[in-house]
Amino acid sequence: MRAARLIKMVLLLQSRPSMTAAELARELEVSERTVTRDALALSEAGVPVYADRGRTGGYRLVGGYRTRLTGLARSEAEALFLSGVPGALREMGLDDAASAARLKVSAALLPSLRNVSESAARRFHLDAPGWYQESGAPELLPVVAEAVWGDRLVRALYRRADGEVERELAPYGLVLKAGVWYLCARAGEAFRVYRVDRFAAVALCEERFVRDEDFDLPVFWEERAAEFARSILRTEVVVRLSEAGARRLPYTTDRTAAREALEAAGPPDPVGRVTVTLPVESEEVAYTQLLALGPEAEVLEPPSLRERFVGAAARLRELYAVTPPPAPA
């Protein structure tokens, strides 16, 4: 374990001019004290790790030192070939570049590892789109991807509910979520998210933008996704759930909202049912979602939604009270 960490520390220092103890501790997932001990151990082993003192100091390798510990183990090589998303690369117009890169990596591997790409492909495949969705790349995705890679400003025509708007955007990153492509871009001083399939036109500008180095695409997307999920839950319903209904609720409604509602619920009543206040997108959506729970859920509020379930229950009772006609021959 420690040997692997020391190798990683050398490779990190080899790839950058210098790193602070805090940066190394974060990358290696250890304490700064452990970083200090590891640096001392490397120095004693003959690796020229030098510590610059002072406020702007850090650790660096002296004299352009290069390690030869860059060979890939089989598991590392297989992970490398798994890290690509073939469909996404193809949709962005990067399939040829990715293929060439894989060939170059394969050629650089030891003879005993040359079959890792085939080995990984036989065992794992990523199918990004959700079920019952047509997988098709937006027509303008390659242009948007080119702008992202080149840090180039774009002038885009974007379709909204109230019509088309023109925007000048600094495209920072692309996200593929459940088969849908999203662009995270800076518009003016604010960062926003755009669905790529809603762009009516995208024109590359000659001008390039300077990236904000503090921008973290995964963190930004996670925050915006959570914010979006919360923003659409504008209505509340009160529901009484059986034990089975409580188990199934996170699979029929927003999972986070369902779990929070169940955690906030009081103890079960004498017949074992719990009453929850559940945030939902709308009464219409709640009707569709809670109907899937059948008799395991009883809507208490709002009265209008309860009446809809009363009507649905009456129609079901009437439907199943009649003996079905015989099936045709």
mmCIF file of all heavy atoms in Angstrom, residues 273-322:
data_model
loop_
_atom_site.group_PDB
_atom_site.id
_atom_site.type_symbol
_atom_site.label_atom_id
_atom_site.label_comp_id
_atom_site.label_asym_id
_atom_site.label_seq_id
_atom_site.Cartn_x
_atom_site.Cartn_y
_atom_site.Cartn_z
ATOM 1 N N ARG A 273 -49.199 1.727 8.996
ATOM 2 C CA ARG A 273 -49.001 2.682 7.907
ATOM 3 C C ARG A 273 -48.355 3.964 8.424
ATOM 4 O O ARG A 273 -48.626 4.387 9.543
ATOM 5 C CB ARG A 273 -50.323 3.006 7.206
ATOM 6 C CG ARG A 273 -50.841 1.828 6.367
ATOM 7 C CD ARG A 273 -52.115 2.185 5.628
ATOM 8 N NE ARG A 273 -52.468 1.105 4.688
ATOM 9 C CZ ARG A 273 -52.438 1.208 3.368
ATOM 10 N NH1 ARG A 273 -52.071 2.359 2.805
ATOM 11 N NH2 ARG A 273 -52.776 0.199 2.599
ATOM 12 N N VAL A 274 -47.487 4.562 7.577
ATOM 13 C CA VAL A 274 -46.838 5.824 7.940
ATOM 14 C C VAL A 274 -47.382 6.933 7.045
ATOM 15 O O VAL A 274 -47.713 6.700 5.877
ATOM 16 C CB VAL A 274 -45.301 5.750 7.802
ATOM 17 C CG1 VAL A 274 -44.715 4.770 8.801
ATOM 18 C CG2 VAL A 274 -44.894 5.387 6.386
ATOM 19 N N THR A 275 -47.475 8.128 7.606
ATOM 20 C CA THR A 275 -47.955 9.286 6.852
ATOM 21 C C THR A 275 -46.775 10.190 6.532
ATOM 22 O O THR A 275 -46.009 10.566 7.435
ATOM 23 C CB THR A 275 -49.008 10.063 7.662
ATOM 24 O OG1 THR A 275 -50.107 9.188 7.945
ATOM 25 C CG2 THR A 275 -49.508 11.272 6.877
ATOM 26 N N VAL A 276 -46.610 10.512 5.233
ATOM 27 C CA VAL A 276 -45.487 11.335 4.795
ATOM 28 C C VAL A 276 -46.005 12.540 4.030
ATOM 29 O O VAL A 276 -47.065 12.490 3.396
ATOM 30 C CB VAL A 276 -44.502 10.539 3.906
ATOM 31 C CG1 VAL A 276 -43.945 9.344 4.643
ATOM 32 C CG2 VAL A 276 -45.162 10.113 2.601
ATOM 33 N N THR A 277 -45.229 13.635 4.116
ATOM 34 C CA THR A 277 -45.476 14.815 3.282
ATOM 35 C C THR A 277 -44.418 14.807 2.193
ATOM 36 O O THR A 277 -43.229 14.952 2.466
ATOM 37 C CB THR A 277 -45.386 16.106 4.110
ATOM 38 O OG1 THR A 277 -46.362 16.053 5.159
ATOM 39 C CG2 THR A 277 -45.644 17.322 3.241
ATOM 40 N N LEU A 278 -44.864 14.611 0.947
ATOM 41 C CA LEU A 278 -43.949 14.343 -0.156
ATOM 42 C C LEU A 278 -43.927 15.501 -1.154
ATOM 43 O O LEU A 278 -44.971 15.862 -1.710
ATOM 44 C CB LEU A 278 -44.379 13.060 -0.877
ATOM 45 C CG LEU A 278 -43.542 12.619 -2.074
ATOM 46 C CD1 LEU A 278 -42.176 12.145 -1.620
ATOM 47 C CD2 LEU A 278 -44.268 11.518 -2.842
ATOM 48 N N PRO A 279 -42.756 16.115 -1.408
ATOM 49 C CA PRO A 279 -42.662 17.128 -2.475
ATOM 50 C C PRO A 279 -42.770 16.451 -3.843
ATOM 51 O O PRO A 279 -42.129 15.426 -4.091
ATOM 52 C CB PRO A 279 -41.275 17.745 -2.271
ATOM 53 C CG PRO A 279 -40.821 17.280 -0.924
ATOM 54 C CD PRO A 279 -41.488 15.980 -0.679
ATOM 55 N N VAL A 280 -43.579 17.032 -4.730
ATOM 56 C CA VAL A 280 -43.762 16.484 -6.078
ATOM 57 C C VAL A 280 -43.737 17.621 -7.087
ATOM 58 O O VAL A 280 -43.853 18.792 -6.735
ATOM 59 C CB VAL A 280 -45.097 15.709 -6.203
ATOM 60 C CG1 VAL A 280 -45.074 14.450 -5.347
ATOM 61 C CG2 VAL A 280 -46.272 16.607 -5.827
ATOM 62 N N GLU A 281 -43.598 17.246 -8.340
ATOM 63 C CA GLU A 281 -43.539 18.248 -9.404
ATOM 64 C C GLU A 281 -44.889 18.927 -9.609
ATOM 65 O O GLU A 281 -44.972 20.142 -9.778
ATOM 66 C CB GLU A 281 -43.075 17.585 -10.700
ATOM 67 C CG GLU A 281 -42.826 18.537 -11.830
ATOM 68 C CD GLU A 281 -42.233 17.847 -13.043
ATOM 69 O OE1 GLU A 281 -41.740 16.703 -12.917
ATOM 70 O OE2 GLU A 281 -42.260 18.451 -14.138
ATOM 71 N N SER A 282 -45.965 18.146 -9.609
ATOM 72 C CA SER A 282 -47.312 18.673 -9.791
ATOM 73 C C SER A 282 -48.303 17.593 -9.382
ATOM 74 O O SER A 282 -47.935 16.422 -9.185
ATOM 75 C CB SER A 282 -47.555 19.076 -11.249
ATOM 76 O OG SER A 282 -47.498 17.926 -12.079
ATOM 77 N N GLU A 283 -49.576 17.965 -9.274
ATOM 78 C CA GLU A 283 -50.606 16.969 -8.952
ATOM 79 C C GLU A 283 -50.703 15.928 -10.054
ATOM 80 O O GLU A 283 -50.906 14.742 -9.779
ATOM 81 C CB GLU A 283 -51.964 17.648 -8.741
ATOM 82 C CG GLU A 283 -52.112 18.333 -7.401
ATOM 83 C CD GLU A 283 -53.548 18.718 -7.102
ATOM 84 O OE1 GLU A 283 -54.472 18.075 -7.669
ATOM 85 O OE2 GLU A 283 -53.762 19.651 -6.324
ATOM 86 N N GLU A 284 -50.559 16.372 -11.299
ATOM 87 C CA GLU A 284 -50.657 15.447 -12.426
ATOM 88 C C GLU A 284 -49.553 14.394 -12.358
ATOM 89 O O GLU A 284 -49.793 13.197 -12.542
ATOM 90 C CB GLU A 284 -50.566 16.227 -13.738
ATOM 91 C CG GLU A 284 -50.773 15.382 -14.985
ATOM 92 C CD GLU A 284 -52.175 14.807 -15.067
ATOM 93 O OE1 GLU A 284 -53.141 15.489 -14.671
ATOM 94 O OE2 GLU A 284 -52.302 13.658 -15.532
ATOM 95 N N VAL A 285 -48.317 14.846 -12.089
ATOM 96 C CA VAL A 285 -47.195 13.918 -11.983
ATOM 97 C C VAL A 285 -47.371 13.011 -10.767
ATOM 98 O O VAL A 285 -47.127 11.799 -10.837
ATOM 99 C CB VAL A 285 -45.865 14.694 -11.900
ATOM 100 C CG1 VAL A 285 -44.704 13.764 -11.574
ATOM 101 C CG2 VAL A 285 -45.593 15.435 -13.202
ATOM 102 N N ALA A 286 -47.818 13.579 -9.641
ATOM 103 C CA ALA A 286 -48.034 12.780 -8.433
ATOM 104 C C ALA A 286 -49.084 11.707 -8.673
ATOM 105 O O ALA A 286 -48.953 10.569 -8.186
ATOM 106 C CB ALA A 286 -48.453 13.683 -7.281
ATOM 107 N N TYR A 287 -50.134 12.055 -9.418
ATOM 108 C CA TYR A 287 -51.183 11.070 -9.718
ATOM 109 C C TYR A 287 -50.594 9.878 -10.465
ATOM 110 O O TYR A 287 -50.842 8.718 -10.120
ATOM 111 C CB TYR A 287 -52.281 11.737 -10.543
ATOM 112 C CG TYR A 287 -53.360 10.792 -11.010
ATOM 113 C CD1 TYR A 287 -54.324 10.312 -10.140
ATOM 114 C CD2 TYR A 287 -53.401 10.354 -12.341
ATOM 115 C CE1 TYR A 287 -55.315 9.429 -10.569
ATOM 116 C CE2 TYR A 287 -54.379 9.481 -12.788
ATOM 117 C CZ TYR A 287 -55.332 9.026 -11.897
ATOM 118 O OH TYR A 287 -56.305 8.147 -12.317
ATOM 119 N N THR A 288 -49.789 10.164 -11.488
ATOM 120 C CA THR A 288 -49.182 9.083 -12.279
ATOM 121 C C THR A 288 -48.220 8.248 -11.441
ATOM 122 O O THR A 288 -48.210 7.015 -11.523
ATOM 123 C CB THR A 288 -48.436 9.683 -13.488
ATOM 124 O OG1 THR A 288 -49.344 10.469 -14.251
ATOM 125 C CG2 THR A 288 -47.851 8.593 -14.358
ATOM 126 N N GLN A 289 -47.403 8.923 -10.623
ATOM 127 C CA GLN A 289 -46.401 8.203 -9.838
ATOM 128 C C GLN A 289 -47.038 7.358 -8.738
ATOM 129 O O GLN A 289 -46.689 6.183 -8.556
ATOM 130 C CB GLN A 289 -45.414 9.206 -9.234
ATOM 131 C CG GLN A 289 -44.542 9.905 -10.259
ATOM 132 C CD GLN A 289 -43.688 10.997 -9.653
ATOM 133 O OE1 GLN A 289 -44.015 11.554 -8.604
ATOM 134 N NE2 GLN A 289 -42.577 11.327 -10.301
ATOM 135 N N LEU A 290 -47.956 7.948 -7.978
ATOM 136 C CA LEU A 290 -48.541 7.234 -6.830
ATOM 137 C C LEU A 290 -49.531 6.173 -7.259
ATOM 138 O O LEU A 290 -49.770 5.209 -6.524
ATOM 139 C CB LEU A 290 -49.214 8.232 -5.887
ATOM 140 C CG LEU A 290 -48.258 9.243 -5.239
ATOM 141 C CD1 LEU A 290 -49.035 10.267 -4.422
ATOM 142 C CD2 LEU A 290 -47.237 8.528 -4.353
ATOM 143 N N LEU A 291 -50.110 6.317 -8.461
ATOM 144 C CA LEU A 291 -51.024 5.289 -8.958
ATOM 145 C C LEU A 291 -50.304 3.952 -9.104
ATOM 146 O O LEU A 291 -50.910 2.888 -8.975
ATOM 147 C CB LEU A 291 -51.600 5.738 -10.307
ATOM 148 C CG LEU A 291 -52.857 5.013 -10.796
ATOM 149 C CD1 LEU A 291 -54.013 5.201 -9.820
ATOM 150 C CD2 LEU A 291 -53.241 5.515 -12.183
ATOM 151 N N ALA A 292 -48.983 4.018 -9.361
ATOM 152 C CA ALA A 292 -48.195 2.783 -9.513
ATOM 153 C C ALA A 292 -48.115 1.999 -8.211
ATOM 154 O O ALA A 292 -47.823 0.799 -8.225
ATOM 155 C CB ALA A 292 -46.791 3.133 -10.001
ATOM 156 N N LEU A 293 -48.357 2.656 -7.068
ATOM 157 C CA LEU A 293 -48.305 1.961 -5.776
ATOM 158 C C LEU A 293 -49.603 1.247 -5.446
ATOM 159 O O LEU A 293 -49.661 0.464 -4.493
ATOM 160 C CB LEU A 293 -47.958 2.957 -4.659
ATOM 161 C CG LEU A 293 -46.593 3.629 -4.772
ATOM 162 C CD1 LEU A 293 -46.403 4.621 -3.637
ATOM 163 C CD2 LEU A 293 -45.481 2.597 -4.769
ATOM 164 N N GLY A 294 -50.666 1.514 -6.217
ATOM 165 C CA GLY A 294 -51.941 0.828 -6.005
ATOM 166 C C GLY A 294 -52.464 0.990 -4.588
ATOM 167 O O GLY A 294 -52.426 2.084 -4.011
ATOM 168 N N PRO A 295 -52.928 -0.101 -3.970
ATOM 169 C CA PRO A 295 -53.506 -0.017 -2.630
ATOM 170 C C PRO A 295 -52.483 0.190 -1.514
ATOM 171 O O PRO A 295 -52.854 0.294 -0.346
ATOM 172 C CB PRO A 295 -54.213 -1.364 -2.471
ATOM 173 C CG PRO A 295 -53.437 -2.291 -3.352
ATOM 174 C CD PRO A 295 -52.999 -1.464 -4.515
ATOM 175 N N GLU A 296 -51.191 0.257 -1.871
ATOM 176 C CA GLU A 296 -50.154 0.469 -0.855
ATOM 177 C C GLU A 296 -50.009 1.944 -0.479
ATOM 178 O O GLU A 296 -49.237 2.281 0.415
ATOM 179 C CB GLU A 296 -48.801 -0.062 -1.349
ATOM 180 C CG GLU A 296 -48.828 -1.485 -1.882
ATOM 181 C CD GLU A 296 -49.376 -2.486 -0.869
ATOM 182 O OE1 GLU A 296 -49.192 -2.264 0.340
ATOM 183 O OE2 GLU A 296 -50.002 -3.477 -1.305
ATOM 184 N N ALA A 297 -50.734 2.840 -1.184
ATOM 185 C CA ALA A 297 -50.659 4.277 -0.893
ATOM 186 C C ALA A 297 -52.060 4.874 -0.875
ATOM 187 O O ALA A 297 -52.878 4.584 -1.757
ATOM 188 C CB ALA A 297 -49.807 4.987 -1.940
ATOM 189 N N GLU A 298 -52.336 5.697 0.135
ATOM 190 C CA GLU A 298 -53.612 6.412 0.235
ATOM 191 C C GLU A 298 -53.316 7.912 0.287
ATOM 192 O O GLU A 298 -52.655 8.396 1.208
ATOM 193 C CB GLU A 298 -54.374 6.005 1.498
ATOM 194 C CG GLU A 298 -55.675 6.779 1.678
ATOM 195 C CD GLU A 298 -56.294 6.581 3.057
ATOM 196 O OE1 GLU A 298 -55.697 5.852 3.879
ATOM 197 O OE2 GLU A 298 -57.375 7.172 3.308
ATOM 198 N N VAL A 299 -53.799 8.657 -0.696
ATOM 199 C CA VAL A 299 -53.598 10.106 -0.728
ATOM 200 C C VAL A 299 -54.582 10.763 0.237
ATOM 201 O O VAL A 299 -55.795 10.540 0.161
ATOM 202 C CB VAL A 299 -53.799 10.644 -2.158
ATOM 203 C CG1 VAL A 299 -53.738 12.170 -2.160
ATOM 204 C CG2 VAL A 299 -52.746 10.079 -3.092
ATOM 205 N N LEU A 300 -54.048 11.581 1.149
ATOM 206 C CA LEU A 300 -54.874 12.302 2.109
ATOM 207 C C LEU A 300 -55.098 13.751 1.680
ATOM 208 O O LEU A 300 -56.193 14.296 1.849
ATOM 209 C CB LEU A 300 -54.224 12.259 3.495
ATOM 210 C CG LEU A 300 -53.926 10.860 4.067
ATOM 211 C CD1 LEU A 300 -53.259 10.984 5.431
ATOM 212 C CD2 LEU A 300 -55.200 10.022 4.154
ATOM 213 N N GLU A 301 -54.072 14.388 1.180
ATOM 214 C CA GLU A 301 -54.145 15.780 0.730
ATOM 215 C C GLU A 301 -53.278 15.941 -0.520
ATOM 216 O O GLU A 301 -52.293 15.217 -0.698
ATOM 217 C CB GLU A 301 -53.635 16.727 1.828
ATOM 218 C CG GLU A 301 -54.478 16.754 3.084
ATOM 219 C CD GLU A 301 -53.887 17.691 4.132
ATOM 220 O OE1 GLU A 301 -53.032 18.532 3.766
ATOM 221 O OE2 GLU A 301 -54.266 17.582 5.300
ATOM 222 N N PRO A 302 -53.649 16.878 -1.394
ATOM 223 C CA PRO A 302 -54.795 17.789 -1.361
ATOM 224 C C PRO A 302 -56.094 17.063 -1.732
ATOM 225 O O PRO A 302 -56.039 16.008 -2.377
ATOM 226 C CB PRO A 302 -54.420 18.841 -2.409
ATOM 227 C CG PRO A 302 -53.544 18.106 -3.370
ATOM 228 C CD PRO A 302 -52.772 17.124 -2.553
ATOM 229 N N PRO A 303 -57.234 17.630 -1.354
ATOM 230 C CA PRO A 303 -58.521 16.977 -1.629
ATOM 231 C C PRO A 303 -58.745 16.694 -3.114
ATOM 232 O O PRO A 303 -59.323 15.654 -3.464
ATOM 233 C CB PRO A 303 -59.541 17.990 -1.095
ATOM 234 C CG PRO A 303 -58.803 18.779 -0.071
ATOM 235 C CD PRO A 303 -57.398 18.875 -0.571
ATOM 236 N N SER A 304 -58.288 17.604 -3.979
ATOM 237 C CA SER A 304 -58.503 17.402 -5.419
ATOM 238 C C SER A 304 -57.795 16.149 -5.917
ATOM 239 O O SER A 304 -58.338 15.403 -6.746
ATOM 240 C CB SER A 304 -58.015 18.624 -6.203
ATOM 241 O OG SER A 304 -56.646 18.897 -5.900
ATOM 242 N N LEU A 305 -56.597 15.883 -5.397
ATOM 243 C CA LEU A 305 -55.859 14.684 -5.813
ATOM 244 C C LEU A 305 -56.509 13.437 -5.221
ATOM 245 O O LEU A 305 -56.618 12.407 -5.885
ATOM 246 C CB LEU A 305 -54.393 14.792 -5.379
ATOM 247 C CG LEU A 305 -53.483 13.636 -5.803
ATOM 248 C CD1 LEU A 305 -53.461 13.476 -7.318
ATOM 249 C CD2 LEU A 305 -52.062 13.842 -5.279
ATOM 250 N N ARG A 306 -56.978 13.543 -3.988
ATOM 251 C CA ARG A 306 -57.661 12.400 -3.376
ATOM 252 C C ARG A 306 -58.909 12.024 -4.176
ATOM 253 O O ARG A 306 -59.189 10.838 -4.382
ATOM 254 C CB ARG A 306 -58.023 12.719 -1.926
ATOM 255 C CG ARG A 306 -58.707 11.550 -1.206
ATOM 256 C CD ARG A 306 -58.989 11.868 0.250
ATOM 257 N NE ARG A 306 -59.749 10.792 0.869
ATOM 258 C CZ ARG A 306 -59.202 9.716 1.435
ATOM 259 N NH1 ARG A 306 -57.880 9.582 1.450
ATOM 260 N NH2 ARG A 306 -59.958 8.767 1.971
ATOM 261 N N GLU A 307 -59.647 13.039 -4.650
ATOM 262 C CA GLU A 307 -60.840 12.764 -5.449
ATOM 263 C C GLU A 307 -60.493 12.026 -6.727
ATOM 264 O O GLU A 307 -61.242 11.157 -7.186
ATOM 265 C CB GLU A 307 -61.564 14.078 -5.767
ATOM 266 C CG GLU A 307 -62.343 14.668 -4.601
ATOM 267 C CD GLU A 307 -63.391 13.694 -4.072
ATOM 268 O OE1 GLU A 307 -64.124 13.099 -4.893
ATOM 269 O OE2 GLU A 307 -63.446 13.507 -2.844
ATOM 270 N N ARG A 308 -59.351 12.362 -7.325
ATOM 271 C CA ARG A 308 -58.934 11.657 -8.538
ATOM 272 C C ARG A 308 -58.676 10.188 -8.252
ATOM 273 O O ARG A 308 -59.018 9.317 -9.052
ATOM 274 C CB ARG A 308 -57.680 12.303 -9.129
ATOM 275 C CG ARG A 308 -57.904 13.675 -9.714
ATOM 276 C CD ARG A 308 -56.702 14.149 -10.502
ATOM 277 N NE ARG A 308 -56.467 13.329 -11.698
ATOM 278 C CZ ARG A 308 -55.530 13.575 -12.588
ATOM 279 N NH1 ARG A 308 -54.705 14.607 -12.431
ATOM 280 N NH2 ARG A 308 -55.377 12.805 -13.648
ATOM 281 N N PHE A 309 -58.077 9.901 -7.095
ATOM 282 C CA PHE A 309 -57.836 8.501 -6.736
ATOM 283 C C PHE A 309 -59.134 7.786 -6.384
ATOM 284 O O PHE A 309 -59.293 6.597 -6.684
ATOM 285 C CB PHE A 309 -56.838 8.434 -5.571
ATOM 286 C CG PHE A 309 -55.404 8.469 -6.021
ATOM 287 C CD1 PHE A 309 -54.741 9.676 -6.193
ATOM 288 C CD2 PHE A 309 -54.727 7.303 -6.321
ATOM 289 C CE1 PHE A 309 -53.429 9.719 -6.626
ATOM 290 C CE2 PHE A 309 -53.406 7.326 -6.750
ATOM 291 C CZ PHE A 309 -52.755 8.546 -6.915
ATOM 292 N N VAL A 310 -60.091 8.496 -5.769
ATOM 293 C CA VAL A 310 -61.398 7.897 -5.489
ATOM 294 C C VAL A 310 -62.072 7.499 -6.790
ATOM 295 O O VAL A 310 -62.625 6.399 -6.923
ATOM 296 C CB VAL A 310 -62.285 8.878 -4.688
ATOM 297 C CG1 VAL A 310 -63.721 8.365 -4.614
ATOM 298 C CG2 VAL A 310 -61.727 9.076 -3.286
ATOM 299 N N GLY A 311 -61.995 8.398 -7.784
ATOM 300 C CA GLY A 311 -62.583 8.093 -9.088
ATOM 301 C C GLY A 311 -61.886 6.926 -9.763
ATOM 302 O O GLY A 311 -62.525 6.057 -10.362
ATOM 303 N N ALA A 312 -60.540 6.894 -9.672
ATOM 304 C CA ALA A 312 -59.786 5.798 -10.288
ATOM 305 C C ALA A 312 -60.129 4.468 -9.618
ATOM 306 O O ALA A 312 -60.286 3.445 -10.290
ATOM 307 C CB ALA A 312 -58.291 6.077 -10.181
ATOM 308 N N ALA A 313 -60.273 4.483 -8.269
ATOM 309 C CA ALA A 313 -60.615 3.258 -7.548
ATOM 310 C C ALA A 313 -62.000 2.765 -7.944
ATOM 311 O O ALA A 313 -62.227 1.558 -8.114
ATOM 312 C CB ALA A 313 -60.544 3.510 -6.040
ATOM 313 N N ALA A 314 -62.947 3.704 -8.135
ATOM 314 C CA ALA A 314 -64.304 3.311 -8.528
ATOM 315 C C ALA A 314 -64.305 2.693 -9.920
ATOM 316 O O ALA A 314 -64.986 1.683 -10.169
ATOM 317 C CB ALA A 314 -65.221 4.539 -8.480
ATOM 318 N N ARG A 315 -63.540 3.280 -10.824
ATOM 319 C CA ARG A 315 -63.480 2.731 -12.186
ATOM 320 C C ARG A 315 -62.825 1.356 -12.191
ATOM 321 O O ARG A 315 -63.243 0.463 -12.936
ATOM 322 C CB ARG A 315 -62.718 3.693 -13.099
ATOM 323 C CG ARG A 315 -63.446 5.006 -13.354
ATOM 324 C CD ARG A 315 -62.884 5.761 -14.545
ATOM 325 N NE ARG A 315 -61.459 6.041 -14.411
ATOM 326 C CZ ARG A 315 -60.973 7.090 -13.776
ATOM 327 N NH1 ARG A 315 -61.794 7.965 -13.183
ATOM 328 N NH2 ARG A 315 -59.666 7.313 -13.718
ATOM 329 N N LEU A 316 -61.799 1.176 -11.369
ATOM 330 C CA LEU A 316 -61.147 -0.138 -11.281
ATOM 331 C C LEU A 316 -62.105 -1.177 -10.709
ATOM 332 O O LEU A 316 -62.174 -2.319 -11.196
ATOM 333 C CB LEU A 316 -59.888 -0.041 -10.408
ATOM 334 C CG LEU A 316 -58.637 0.544 -11.072
ATOM 335 C CD1 LEU A 316 -57.551 0.786 -10.038
ATOM 336 C CD2 LEU A 316 -58.119 -0.407 -12.153
ATOM 337 N N ARG A 317 -62.843 -0.773 -9.686
ATOM 338 C CA ARG A 317 -63.810 -1.707 -9.074
ATOM 339 C C ARG A 317 -64.865 -2.122 -10.101
ATOM 340 O O ARG A 317 -65.220 -3.296 -10.217
ATOM 341 C CB ARG A 317 -64.470 -1.050 -7.871
ATOM 342 C CG ARG A 317 -65.478 -1.945 -7.147
ATOM 343 C CD ARG A 317 -66.100 -1.208 -5.969
ATOM 344 N NE ARG A 317 -67.082 -2.040 -5.311
ATOM 345 C CZ ARG A 317 -66.804 -2.950 -4.379
ATOM 346 N NH1 ARG A 317 -65.556 -3.126 -4.011
ATOM 347 N NH2 ARG A 317 -67.763 -3.673 -3.829
ATOM 348 N N GLU A 318 -65.352 -1.142 -10.849
ATOM 349 C CA GLU A 318 -66.366 -1.431 -11.873
ATOM 350 C C GLU A 318 -65.786 -2.317 -12.966
ATOM 351 O O GLU A 318 -66.445 -3.247 -13.454
ATOM 352 C CB GLU A 318 -66.856 -0.109 -12.456
ATOM 353 C CG GLU A 318 -67.947 -0.271 -13.503
ATOM 354 C CD GLU A 318 -68.388 1.067 -14.071
ATOM 355 O OE1 GLU A 318 -68.067 2.107 -13.460
ATOM 356 O OE2 GLU A 318 -69.046 1.063 -15.122
ATOM 357 N N LEU A 319 -64.541 -2.041 -13.331
ATOM 358 C CA LEU A 319 -63.899 -2.804 -14.401
ATOM 359 C C LEU A 319 -63.716 -4.262 -14.007
ATOM 360 O O LEU A 319 -63.980 -5.180 -14.789
ATOM 361 C CB LEU A 319 -62.555 -2.160 -14.735
ATOM 362 C CG LEU A 319 -61.739 -2.792 -15.864
ATOM 363 C CD1 LEU A 319 -62.458 -2.626 -17.198
ATOM 364 C CD2 LEU A 319 -60.345 -2.186 -15.945
ATOM 365 N N TYR A 320 -63.242 -4.492 -12.776
ATOM 366 C CA TYR A 320 -62.940 -5.860 -12.354
ATOM 367 C C TYR A 320 -64.133 -6.580 -11.785
ATOM 368 O O TYR A 320 -64.068 -7.791 -11.503
ATOM 369 C CB TYR A 320 -61.796 -5.829 -11.327
ATOM 370 C CG TYR A 320 -60.443 -5.608 -11.974
ATOM 371 C CD1 TYR A 320 -59.883 -4.340 -12.008
ATOM 372 C CD2 TYR A 320 -59.754 -6.645 -12.587
ATOM 373 C CE1 TYR A 320 -58.657 -4.103 -12.609
ATOM 374 C CE2 TYR A 320 -58.532 -6.443 -13.190
ATOM 375 C CZ TYR A 320 -57.988 -5.161 -13.212
ATOM 376 O OH TYR A 320 -56.786 -4.953 -13.825
ATOM 377 N N ALA A 321 -65.271 -5.903 -11.606
ATOM 378 C CA ALA A 321 -66.486 -6.588 -11.145
ATOM 379 C C ALA A 321 -67.137 -7.378 -12.244
ATOM 380 O O ALA A 321 -67.951 -8.265 -12.000
ATOM 381 C CB ALA A 321 -67.463 -5.559 -10.577
ATOM 382 N N VAL A 322 -66.795 -7.079 -13.487
ATOM 383 C CA VAL A 322 -67.399 -7.747 -14.644
ATOM 384 C C VAL A 322 -66.507 -8.893 -15.087
ATOM 385 O O VAL A 322 -65.291 -8.757 -15.165
ATOM 386 C CB VAL A 322 -67.588 -6.748 -15.810
ATOM 387 C CG1 VAL A 322 -68.158 -7.436 -17.021
ATOM 388 C CG2 VAL A 322 -68.454 -5.587 -15.367
#
